[in-house]
């Protein structure tokens, strides 16, 4: 059964890809097994992260990017992450509606995913969904984050190129954003550039980038090989989309020539191994420790107020590490 699913994913079968991503979101063990088998077929797609505050036109911009990439003969996969309601668990998955003009294109796969409580701007299943689209043969994978603010920086773990989208008259919002938000960006876009104060916003971003560059220079962390551009676009008309794609391609070439792409792959692999190891160890330790008499005794003592949970956990840790 897995062999058949594997083959269909590699052939780019839409229904199979969609079902597999659903299994991934549901944390189905079968899905993890299939993704593991797909791993050796990944690493060819260029992953572009699109992030920024709500209302700046990220989805409309992505729709234009899809159209331009398709004209250039590239296949595109899109993962759009929407916030999940803390009350109902549901999500308003509106991104496919805004990109509906591409839904009949066999060279495009668009999937909306709920964040399901993840605080980093992405769904926990995002990484594996990217792998599925990569293995299916997509040339470009675009990941749109929730984009609530400076805490949503998980995109840097998955994307080769991160595009931060802003809009005119966001002076106060831009000033309020912490430096970390700027550190993750490779390309900055001021969308809705047909509005007033667009040049003022561009200058503000450029000034802040210069300040950040000097700060990193003082810390010895400045990357002088890539000059972060600030572009103007009007997603509704398509203005500036070609220039944005050219900059994405330039950044891709820079990563390859500088060797940073290999460093990115190694760091990503390390993070994935540690994440998988943490999950496995947690499952193993908890499953075994809960069976012990000591654990049950500590639960009773804690429930009676004779011991606090942290002290109980410390005793269990010492037992696991055999330090007693």
């Amino acid at each position: 059964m897995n062999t058949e699913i594997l083959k269909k994913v590699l052939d780019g079968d839409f229904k199979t890809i969609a079902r597999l991503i659903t299994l991934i979101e549901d944390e189905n063990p079968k899905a993890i097994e299939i993704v593991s088998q797909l791993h050796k077929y990944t690493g060819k797609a260029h992953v572009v992260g699109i992030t920024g505050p709500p209302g700046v036109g990220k989805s409309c911009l992505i729709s234009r990017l899809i159209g331009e990439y398709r004209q250039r003969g590239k296949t595109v996969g899109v993962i759009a992450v929407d916030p999940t309601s803390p009350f109902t668990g549901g999500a308003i998955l509106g991104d496919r509606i805004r990109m509906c003009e591409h839904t009949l294109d066999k060279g495009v796969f668009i999937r909306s995913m709920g964040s399901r409580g993840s605080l980093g701007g992405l769904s926990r299943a995002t990484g594996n969904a990217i792998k599925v689209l990569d293995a299916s043969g997509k040339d470009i994978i675009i990941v749109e984050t929730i984009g609530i603010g400076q805490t949503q920086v998980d995109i840097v773990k998955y994307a080769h190129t991160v595009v931060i989208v802003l809009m005119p008259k966001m002076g106060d919002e831009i000033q309020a954003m912490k430096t970390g938000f700027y550190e993750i960006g490779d390309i900055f876009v001021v969308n809705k550039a047909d509005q007033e104060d667009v040049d003022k916003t561009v200058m503000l971003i450029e000034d802040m980038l210069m300040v950040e560059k000097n700060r990193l220079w003082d810390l010895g962390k400045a990357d002088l090989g890539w000059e972060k551009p600030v572009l103007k676009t009007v997603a509704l008309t398509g203005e500036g989309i070609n220039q944005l794609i050219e900059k994405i391609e330039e950044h891709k070439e820079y990563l390859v020539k500088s060797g940073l792409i290999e460093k990115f792959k190694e760091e990503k692999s390390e993070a994935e191994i540690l994440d998988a190891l943490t999950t496995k160890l947690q499952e193993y330790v908890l499953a075994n420790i809960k069976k012990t008499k000591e654990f049950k005794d500590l639960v009773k003592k804690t429930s009676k107020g004779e011991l606090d949970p942290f002290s109980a956990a410390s005793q269990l840790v010492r037992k696991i590490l055999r330090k007693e």
Side-chain angles (χ1 to χ4, degrees):
M1 187 64 177
N2 283 4
T3 304
E4 183 181 350
I5 294 174
L6 194 71
K7 184 178 183 303
K8 287 186 176 181
V9 170
L10 294 175
D11 288 340
D13 183 79
F14 271 45
K15 289 183 178 179
T16 304
I17 293 170
R19 288 170 184 163
L20 179 54
I21 292 177
T22 298
L23 290 177
I24 289 170
E25 288 188 282
D26 292 339
E27 299 182 354
N28 189 303
K30 179 181 178 181
I32 302 304
E33 182 181 334
I34 296 171
V35 171
S36 296
Q37 294 173 329
L38 286 171
H39 180 77
K40 62 182 178 181
Y41 300 102
T42 64
K44 297 177 182 178
H46 188 70
V47 183
V48 179
I50 305 289
T51 188
V56 296
K58 295 190 295 293
S59 296
C60 188
L61 188 72
I62 291 171
S63 182
R64 288 289 182 179
L65 286 172
I66 294 170
E68 182 58 33
Y69 273 123
R70 292 299 291 138
Q71 287 188 14
R72 299 183 182 207
K74 302 286 187 180
T75 55
V76 184
V78 178
I79 299 171
V81 183
D82 285 296
T84 299
S85 168
F87 303 106
T88 65
I92 301 174
L93 306 178
D95 297 285
R96 280 180 291 183
I97 297 173
R98 290 188 284 272
M99 304 174 197
C100 62
E101 62 183 295
H102 305 290
T103 53
L104 298 179
D105 187 341
K106 293 184 179 180
V108 179
F109 181 93
I110 300 171
R111 176 64 177 246
S112 291
M113 300 173 69
S115 62
R116 301 196 178 191
S118 177
L119 300 177
L122 297 175
S123 163
R124 291 187 182 91
T126 302
N128 285 330
I130 290 172
K131 284 189 176 183
V132 172
L133 294 182
D134 190 353
S136 74
K138 296 295 177 287
D139 299 311
I140 304 293
I141 299 173
I142 300 173
V143 182
E144 178 188 359
T145 77
I146 298 171
I148 295 173
Q150 64 267 23
T151 59
Q152 277 63 42
V153 295
D154 274 2
I155 187 62
V156 76
K157 299 178 183 177
Y158 305 102
H160 302 110
T161 302
V162 177
V163 179
I164 295 182
V165 185
L166 301 162
M167 61 181 283
K169 299 182 180 179
M170 288 191 68
D172 292 339
E173 291 90 339
I174 292 171
Q175 294 281 9
M177 291 176 186
K178 297 191 183 293
T179 55
F181 194 64
Y182 281 89
E183 287 178 20
I184 70 166
D186 300 302
I187 299 170
F188 289 79
V189 171
V190 180
N191 192 33
K192 304 184 181 182
D194 52 345
Q195 296 183 5
E196 293 180 4
D197 292 335
V198 60
D199 291 330
K200 182 178 178 181
T201 304
V202 169
M203 289 179 62
L204 177 60
I205 296 170
E206 289 176 339
D207 287 346
M208 293 193 72
L209 286 175
M210 182 59 67
V211 171
E212 181 62 14
K213 182 178 179 180
N214 291 335
R215 186 184 72 85
L216 292 175
W217 172 266
D218 292 338
L219 294 173
K221 298 180 180 179
D223 177 11
L224 302 179
W226 175 254
E227 195 69 33
K228 298 182 179 184
V230 183
L231 309 176
K232 294 187 287 187
T233 63
V234 183
L236 286 176
T237 63
E239 182 182 339
I241 299 301
N242 280 324
Q243 291 88 337
L244 175 54
I245 287 184
E246 291 303 324
K247 283 298 178 182
I248 291 173
E249 290 299 310
E250 284 181 28
H251 186 251
K252 178 183 176 181
E253 291 176 11
Y254 163 70
L255 292 175
V256 173
K257 290 180 180 178
S258 66
L260 288 175
I261 192 72
E262 294 304 321
K263 182 182 178 183
F264 175 88
K265 290 178 180 178
E266 289 180 5
E267 289 177 348
K268 183 170 177 290
S269 295
E270 179 181 319
E272 288 179 337
I273 293 171
L274 290 175
D275 185 53
L277 181 61
T278 300
T279 301
K280 290 290 185 182
L281 287 174
Q282 181 175 309
E283 290 174 354
Y284 175 79
V285 171
L286 293 182
N288 283 277
I289 202 72
K290 287 174 69 175
K291 297 176 183 177
T292 65
K293 181 179 181 300
E294 183 173 358
F295 177 79
K296 295 174 182 177
D297 290 342
L298 288 171
V299 169
K300 289 180 180 179
K301 288 182 180 180
T302 303
S303 66
K304 292 177 181 179
E306 298 173 6
L307 193 68
D308 67 274
F310 295 102
S311 298
S314 296
Q315 288 187 34
L316 291 170
V317 169
R318 287 195 294 270
K319 177 180 175 61
I320 293 169
L321 297 178
R322 296 179 181 178
K323 289 189 176 181
E324 283 194 336

